[in-house]
């Protein structure tokens, strides 16, 4: 499915709606250039999952955990993990935990098989194309 977003609010709404299709243990790859809105999308998913904390970019901490109503949200930024062994970093257990929904920015750098891919591209200065792909 493809959507065009012309605002942060629209992206949040699309992501919140998308979150209703997620189940425990799901891995979602967030794909897009720097600054295109991957973390905004993650915030919308968090809202949909009932996360009360403010979602922030995990760029400098690699992984953020949030408690939702029915599932935990794990937001990972894999950009700095290129070539790293997930087992040594403890991520394998996180990805396999059925109470977690994992959103991974830059997942292409890891050896994971996401259930969904969210591809976000800038199509105009203030517009984003959001493509939701069921892998």
């Amino acid at each position: 499915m493809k959507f065009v977003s012309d605002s942060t609010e629209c992206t949040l709404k699309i992501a919140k709606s998308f979150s209703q299709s997620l189940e425990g243990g799901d891995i979602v790859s967030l794909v897009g250039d720097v600054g295109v809105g991957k973390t905004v999308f993650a915030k919308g998913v968090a809202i949909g999952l009932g996360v009360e904390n403010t979602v922030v970019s995990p760029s400098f901490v690699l992984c953020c955990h949030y408690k939702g109503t029915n599932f935990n949200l794990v937001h990972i930024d894999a950009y700095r993990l290129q070539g790293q062994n997930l087992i040594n970093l403890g991520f394998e257990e996180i990805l396999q935990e059925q109470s977690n929904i994992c959103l991974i920015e830059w997942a292409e750098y890891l050896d994971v098989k996401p259930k969904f891919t969210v591809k976000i591209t800038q199509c105009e200065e203030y517009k984003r194309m959001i493509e939701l792909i069921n892998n």
Side-chain angles (χ1 to χ4, degrees):
M1 301 178 75
K2 293 183 181 182
F3 302 89
V4 175
S5 173
D6 61 359
S7 67
T8 298
E9 293 76 21
C10 184
T11 298
L12 291 171
K13 184 177 176 182
I14 293 166
K16 182 180 176 185
S17 177
F18 170 72
S19 74
Q20 301 311 299
S21 64
L22 298 174
E23 300 173 342
D26 283 353
I27 298 172
V28 179
S29 173
L30 300 175
V31 177
D33 292 335
V34 173
V36 80
K38 295 182 298 291
T39 300
V40 171
F41 193 89
K43 288 178 183 185
V45 169
I47 291 167
L49 295 176
V51 171
E52 294 183 7
N53 297 30
T54 302
V55 170
V56 296
S57 174
S59 293
F60 299 104
V61 293
L62 303 179
C63 183
C64 296
H65 296 261
Y66 303 96
K67 178 84 172 129
T69 304
N70 296 314
F71 301 105
N72 299 314
L73 175 64
V74 180
H75 187 193
I76 299 170
D77 186 324
Y79 187 77
R80 294 188 296 145
L81 297 177
Q82 299 177 39
Q84 297 293 317
N85 184 330
L86 290 179
I87 295 170
N88 293 340
L89 296 172
F91 285 114
E92 185 174 53
E93 293 82 13
I94 291 169
L95 297 174
Q96 293 176 353
E97 175 58 52
Q98 293 301 302
S99 64
N100 291 339
I101 291 174
C102 297
L103 303 180
I104 306 176
E105 297 186 26
W106 307 101
E108 60 269 26
Y109 293 132
L110 304 177
D111 184 23
V112 296
K113 297 192 179 358
K115 181 176 181 180
F116 296 100
T117 298
V118 177
K119 184 178 179 182
I120 306 173
T121 54
Q122 186 170 346
C123 49
E124 291 180 29
E125 186 175 358
Y126 296 106
K127 289 188 179 179
R128 307 291 193 261
M129 175 68 68
I130 301 172
E131 186 176 2
L132 308 176
I133 303 162
N134 187 338
N135 298 320

